[in-house]
Every structure is written in C-alpha cells, then in structure tokens.
Amino acid sequence: MTTEVDQGNRDSGSAKDVRRLDRVIIRFAGDSGDGMQLTGDRFTSETASLGNDLSTLPNFPAEIRAPAGTLPGVSSFQLHFADHDILTPGDAPNVLVAMNPAALKANLPDLPRGAELIVNTDEFGARALAKVGYESNPLEDGSLDGYALHKVPLTTLTVEALKDFDLTRKDAGRSKNMFALGLLSWMYHRPTEGTEAFLRAKFAKRPEIAEANVTAFRAGWNFGETTEEFAVSYEVAPAASAFPAGTYRNISGNLALAYGLIAAARCADLPLFLGSYPITPASDILHELSRHKNFGVRTFQAEDEIAGIGAALGAAFGGALGVTTTSGPGVALKSETIGLAVSLELPLLIVDIQRGGPSTGLPTKTEQADLLQAMYGRNGEAPVPIVAPATPGDCFTAALDAARIALTYRTPVFLLSDGYLANGSEPWRVPEVEALPDLRVQFATGPNHTLADGTEVFWPYKRDEATLARPWAVPGTPGLEHRVGGIEKQDGTGNISYDPANHDFMVRTRQAKTDGIEVPDVVVDDPSGQARVLVLGWGSTFGPITAAVRRIRRAGGHIAQTHLRHLNPFPANLGEVLRAYDRVVLPEMNLGQLATLLRAKYLVDVRSLTQVTGLPFKAEQLASAFKEAVDDVH
C-alpha cells in the first residue's frame, strides 16, 4: 500500500497540505485524439528528471482511428513512479484522469475504491453517454460515490485560458490535455521548465500554437494551486537508493534497442544496415535509426517485408551488420529468407517486436506467442539462436548480445522483444563506452585451404574449429570469389551438392554450431536456500514475476526465481536447475510455448501460467498463483 505522511504546508504562502507518498500510479485516458500518449510522455520525462524510479504502460487503440468517443478508440498511458526500486507499471491506478465517458467506462473496472478520479465534465453530454451505453450520467447517479471524484470542466477551463489567442473553440479545446498535465504536475510537484521547453521546440514552426499549449499547461498548474477542489498535493522523493552511481535517462525498449544496434555496429567496426517494412510495434526502431546516419547507419524502408530482409541479408553478404525489424506477421513473410540466411551462414539480426496474433491480430497489444515461430517457423532443419530482453533498458544489452552471437558464429539471430517492452519505459543507466564489448571480426583475406597438389584455394565453408563458423569474405576481395545460394552446399568448397551423406553432415553441423553457442549459465535467486518452488520466466514477464516473488518473500514464503535470456540454445545448466526443485512455475503471455519446449527437452513437469489478453501480467495475479504453488508443496 502507498503510505502517506502529512508534511504540512508547501510554503508559507499556501494553505494546502503536502503529503509524502512512497509511490503513485497514474493513468491518463481519453480518445485517441486527446493526446494522452504525449501527456504521459511529458509527465514521465519530468518524473525521470526528478530521480524517481518509474515504469510505464502506454496502451494504444488497435484501430488507426476508431470513431471518436467510442470504447475501441480509448487511448491510455499508465505511469508508476516511486521513491524506491519498482519493476512494473502497477496493477491498478491510484489516480485516473478520464477525458470522456468512453475513457471512464473502459478504465473504471481497474480503479480500486477510494482512488482519485479526475473527470472532464464537459464531455459528459447525453450523446456521448449514449454512445458507450451509459443509461444515466455516472457523475450524477451516485455510481462513483466510492471514489474521490473531482469533476473538472477541462475543456471550458482551457478555452477560457486561451481566450486571448486567435483560436476557435475547437482548436483551443485541443490543448485540454496540457491543462490536465499542468494540474497533475501541480498535484505531484513535477517540474514545469522541461515541458514548456519541449512544447516550444515541438511547435517551433507555429509559435502561436506553442504558446497556447504553454498557457494551457500553466493554467492547469494555477488551477490546482487556487481551486478548492484540490486541497492536497503530493510529493514522491527521488529513488536515490535504487540506482547505483552513474548517468541515467528515461528510455523505452525500442529506443534502447535502436541504441544497442548502433553500439553493436560501432563495437564491431562495421556499417549498420537496416532493411525494414513499417509494422506496429516495431516501426519506432526504423524511425530512430534513420536519424543516425553519422554513425554509419543506413536505413532502407522497403516495399514489403520480403524485400526488407532480402536487402538486409544482401548487406550482410557485403560485409555490414545486417538487421531487419518486424513483428509476427512480418516474420511469417520473412521465413524463406531466414532459411536462406541459415544456409548461407551469414550474420543477420531479425528483431521481432511481438504483438497479439494470429494473422494481424491485435496490432497494438502485447504477446509472447512468436517463440515457436522463431524456433521452428521455417522449412527444413534451420536452427536459429534466440535472445529475449527482460526490461526496456535491457533491450540495449540484448541487442549487443544478439550481435555477438551473429558475428561470432555467422548465423541469423532472433531478438524477441514485445509491445510491452517496446513502448514501456524505465530509467536506464548509460553505459561507459569502455565497458562495451569488442565485437570486431576478421574478414577472410586470402586462401585458407591447400589442395592435395599444393594449390592454395579459398574454401567458403571451411570452418573455425571452435565455433564452426565459416569465413566471412567481402565480395570483390581478389581470390575469394565464391558462390552463394539456397541449394545445399558441399562441405568446405561450398559447391552445389545433392549428395545424401553431405546433406546429412551439413544439417548436423549447422545444428551443432547453434548448440555450441556460448551462453552464460542461468543464475537462481534463492536467498533463503529453502525454496522448493522455482518461478521461471523469459522476456517481458520479468517485472511482474519479480514483483510477485518479492510479495511472497515479504509474507515469509520461500520461493526461487530465474529468468532466461537465451532460448536457443538453452543455458547448459538449465536442466540441472529445473530438476533441483519440486515444482517449476512458468508464466507466459501465450498458451505455454516455452513450457512445451522445456517439457520436451528436460522431461520436467513445468506448470504453465498463461495469459493472452494483450496486456502484461499483474503482480498480484502472479503472487496469488505463486502462493498456491508454495502452499501445495509444503
């Protein structure tokens, strides 16, 4: 529970109380045209600048532009910030800002009794209420009596604040999100300078719009300071003890992944080539990388998914770090070229930002259901290593790790992120350049094999004994001419071969190369040493799982936890770890895909906890399941 301590007046000029909180969960919700994502982003940026730990959950409509005021068109942004280490965007908001009836109806079921509810009363007309199925006005019928309801005419107040601007009422009303941001910034003592500078920069080409938004923002702040509707404001101290010394910034998963790709290319001393086709929720990586040509980054927005990966694989053949970004539907289209990359044995990163499926499914919602697609979604025996980040900031490190594997072992590598990580954000410690890994590779420069008659030749499939990687020869290097293609190659020479024994050997060699990839052992967090239940996770379930495990331990329970980054190959000690516990519980945002793989490989009765709602697990939901598992084995 959030604790509150009355701190008295903010200063001698204010009669309002200031209360100290250890954490707060705020959700902004409105129509997809109400600017809720921008509002949440700005509140998050100012919260990060104050040094709070934070975690965010943007929730976008699945339709490009659903009809205004309808439930499918509701957009929300949830932010959890605290004076201590936190791991999730929170299970339920303490504060809900609802800009219209649709936002209220869609989000009210998540709001606990007693929470604060700020509602834009201007939008609660009969037509808007009827559009979402309200038979009576919830602001007047007593149905919201269990909440701390604040009825605020946000649109009217914004229009009044902007009366001196040459704007229509409709145009002035568009700034109501900035009024709401100003009000919440006052309530939680967020800085204002950064937001004002941001607005002036964003609307630099239309200074009158910039000043209108700044004015609305200030009006919201002043409204909070002067109205009797809000008698209390709140402070959340910086989370100084949660962060080791260093330079921090707020970062989303897609931004961290883009930076990780750039860093990997620089560490490898290679140009970075991205061949991509825009697709939600991966497009931000394309947008970000296109801004960094000065780092040797070349981005190609292809006409389709197949062309995007084809260009990336061609760039890898030419000596670049080739990358393609997509989501599940795009992976399906790219599958033949991924198989070609397996056959050619060239380094290629396939970044899959998973979303709800099947087919085009739930484009803006999160899921972890592409694991089996990444593992087996190709014809023939075509093994591909798989790496999965655990948090938004971890996407940076995962990109470096995926690049290490691709470059060292000459193989395509899947990097499985998801919509929750991609759009969510957290404080991220900027790494020291000196601490980044050395990923440089040696290209083939001359002959590497001597024939029986003493002739020195270049064999494109002569392998490194330690890694089984073949040499990487840049086209145009004299004497290193060689053939590539999808037909099976003869071991060593790379010539086309239909020999059964050779094919068997090449298939087994490619599998052995993947199986032999060096990945670290899993580390189990079991502080008591008495746990009989192990919770295993992968990808973005890390935050909710860890938060739930902490709850069990605070209540006196003994429970162990470990998390997988490498899903192919598995860490060498994974089987031993799984068999060391009486019960293994595995939460996944699918119907049990990793559990299926683990049961098959290790013959361990892994118990699945599954969810495919398009939303991340809640910590309380997992804690209840974990407690039941702990109780069952005692």
Side-chain angles (χ1 to χ4, degrees):
M1 294 291 292
T2 299
T3 58
E4 298 188 0
V5 180
D6 191 347
Q7 297 293 305
N9 292 342
R10 179 180 174 184
D11 55 54
S12 58
S14 172
K16 296 190 175 184
D17 287 340
V18 178
R19 294 182 184 172
R20 187 72 168 267
L21 306 180
D22 63 355
R23 66 184 183 93
V24 177
I25 303 168
I26 298 174
R27 184 182 298 177
F28 298 94
D31 194 71
S32 58
D34 285 338
M36 294 296 93
Q37 303 305 322
L38 175 62
T39 304
D41 283 341
R42 288 313 313 159
F43 197 95
T44 299
S45 294
E46 300 303 340
T47 297
S49 72
L50 275 180
N52 296 122
D53 196 10
L54 62 89
S55 180
T56 67
L57 177 61
N59 194 357
F60 306 93
E63 298 183 26
I64 293 175
R65 190 66 177 94
T70 63
L71 293 174
V74 173
S75 175
S76 68
F77 188 105
Q78 184 162 306
L79 166 67
H80 182 191
F81 61 103
D83 65 3
H84 58 278
D85 176 33
I86 58 173
L87 297 157
T88 75
D91 289 354
N94 308 117
V95 183
L96 172 64
V97 180
M99 304 298 279
N100 61 18
L104 177 64
K105 189 164 190 177
N107 291 280
L108 192 62
D110 293 335
L111 199 66
R113 292 286 175 170
E116 293 203 67
L117 177 57
I118 301 172
V119 178
N120 180 18
T121 57
D122 288 322
E123 297 297 323
F124 279 69
R127 183 178 178 185
L129 291 166
K131 189 179 289 188
V132 294
Y134 275 122
E135 296 181 359
S136 61
N137 190 336
L139 306 185
E140 300 171 353
D141 63 11
S143 60
L144 301 178
D145 288 349
Y147 305 96
L149 176 63
H150 304 282
K151 295 185 283 188
V152 182
L154 291 173
T155 306
T156 299
L157 290 170
T158 303
V159 171
E160 176 63 23
L162 302 183
K163 63 183 180 182
D164 294 334
F165 289 80
D166 186 19
L167 298 171
T168 65
R169 178 181 175 85
K170 182 178 179 180
D171 288 340
R174 290 195 177 108
S175 295
K176 63 182 178 291
N177 64 321
M178 288 298 103
F179 188 100
L181 177 59
L183 172 58
L184 269 293
S185 297
W186 170 82
M187 283 182 66
Y188 293 97
H189 296 192
R190 303 297 95 181
T192 60
E193 295 81 4
T195 294
E196 293 186 10
F198 168 84
L199 291 170
R200 291 192 172 101
K202 180 177 176 64
F203 299 105
K205 294 182 179 179
R206 301 186 65 187
E208 71 284 0
I209 298 298
E211 291 309 311
N213 278 284
V214 170
T215 299
F217 175 69
R218 290 178 175 175
W221 176 284
N222 293 333
F223 176 77
E225 183 73 13
T226 58
T227 182
E228 295 182 2
E229 181 66 34
F230 296 91
V232 178
S233 64
Y234 305 93
E235 285 184 345
V236 180
S241 62
F243 303 120
T247 301
Y248 288 82
R249 58 157 296 163
N250 185 53
I251 201 165
S252 68
N254 273 351
L255 183 57
L257 209 158
Y259 287 174
L261 293 173
I262 296 170
R266 301 297 286 179
C267 291
D269 197 21
L270 295 174
L272 177 66
F273 181 92
L274 175 70
S276 183
Y277 181 74
I279 184 171
T280 302
S283 299
D284 287 343
I285 303 171
L286 169 62
H287 301 158
E288 183 61 34
L289 288 178
S290 69
R291 300 186 177 104
H292 297 288
K293 297 179 179 65
N294 56 313
F295 287 116
V297 178
R298 180 171 296 174
T299 53
F300 170 55
Q301 181 174 319
E303 65 268 28
D304 56 37
E305 296 280 3
I306 299 171
I309 190 173
L313 183 56
F317 177 62
L321 178 58
V323 182
T324 190
T325 52
T326 189
S327 192
V331 174
L333 294 167
K334 296 177 189 290
S335 61
E336 184 178 4
T337 307
I338 297 171
L340 177 60
V342 172
S343 175
L344 298 183
E345 300 189 46
L346 287 170
L348 176 69
L349 300 185
I350 305 109
V351 179
D352 177 4
I353 313 297
Q354 299 168 95
R355 71 189 206 187
S359 187
T360 46
L362 303 174
T364 62
K365 310 302 180 184
T366 194
E367 206 163 272
Q368 288 183 296
D370 294 351
L371 175 57
L372 294 182
Q373 181 185 32
M375 187 76 77
Y376 299 121
R378 294 163 294 284
N379 63 297
E381 296 287 346
V384 175
I386 303 172
V387 177
T391 69
D394 188 45
C395 289
F396 177 89
T397 310
L400 287 169
D401 200 12
R404 171 190 68 85
I405 294 171
L407 294 169
T408 302
Y409 296 90
R410 311 284 197 272
T411 178
V413 177
F414 261 102
L415 199 162
L416 289 185
S417 179
D418 61 39
Y420 175 34
L421 295 182
N423 297 314
S425 62
E426 67 177 356
W428 173 65
R429 185 182 182 186
V430 179
E432 299 292 337
V433 173
E434 297 77 15
L436 297 177
D438 183 354
L439 300 179
R440 287 174 294 180
V441 297
Q442 295 295 321
F443 289 109
T445 57
N448 62 357
H449 184 74
T450 304
L451 299 177
D453 63 2
T455 305
E456 292 187 340
V457 296
F458 175 66
W459 274 13
Y461 280 82
K462 185 169 184 175
R463 301 181 182 278
D464 180 280
E465 292 183 0
T467 65
L468 298 182
R470 78 173 186 90
W472 193 2
V474 176
T477 306
L480 303 190
E481 296 84 359
H482 60 286
R483 174 185 292 163
V484 296
I487 302 297
E488 184 63 279
K489 294 119 181 85
Q490 184 182 54
D491 177 43
T493 68
N495 295 331
I496 290 176
S497 173
Y498 297 101
D499 177 65
N502 177 78
H503 177 58
D504 183 271
F505 177 79
M506 292 294 279
V507 167
R508 294 180 187 278
T509 300
R510 288 188 289 260
Q511 184 65 57
K513 182 174 70 170
T514 299
D515 292 342
I517 290 171
E518 184 178 338
V519 301
D521 284 347
V522 292
V523 177
V524 177
D525 174 30
D526 184 4
S528 71
Q530 301 177 44
R532 296 170 62 187
V533 173
L534 172 70
V535 180
L536 174 70
W538 70 277
S540 67
T541 57
F542 175 78
I545 288 174
T546 307
V549 165
R550 288 180 178 179
R551 295 187 187 192
I552 297 296
R553 290 175 180 169
R554 283 197 299 266
H558 300 294
I559 190 167
Q561 177 189 1
T562 192
H563 208 77
L564 290 180
R565 162 171 285 172
H566 298 95
L567 302 168
N568 193 29
F570 290 128
N573 69 330
L574 181 57
E576 177 186 351
V577 167
L578 296 179
R579 286 186 282 268
Y581 290 87
D582 295 340
R583 180 165 299 176
V584 178
V585 181
L586 173 53
E588 297 183 79
M589 291 187 292
N590 55 48
L591 295 183
Q593 296 188 12
L594 179 58
T596 298
L597 295 173
L598 295 178
R599 291 184 192 119
K601 184 173 180 65
Y602 300 110
L603 303 180
V604 172
D605 183 21
V606 177
R607 305 289 183 92
S608 285
L609 290 175
T610 62
Q611 174 176 295
V612 280
T613 61
L615 295 170
F617 284 104
K618 292 182 177 180
E620 184 59 38
Q621 165 193 5
L622 291 181
S624 296
F626 296 166
K627 183 179 185 305
E628 183 177 340
V630 171
D631 292 344
D632 282 350
V633 299
H634 285 87

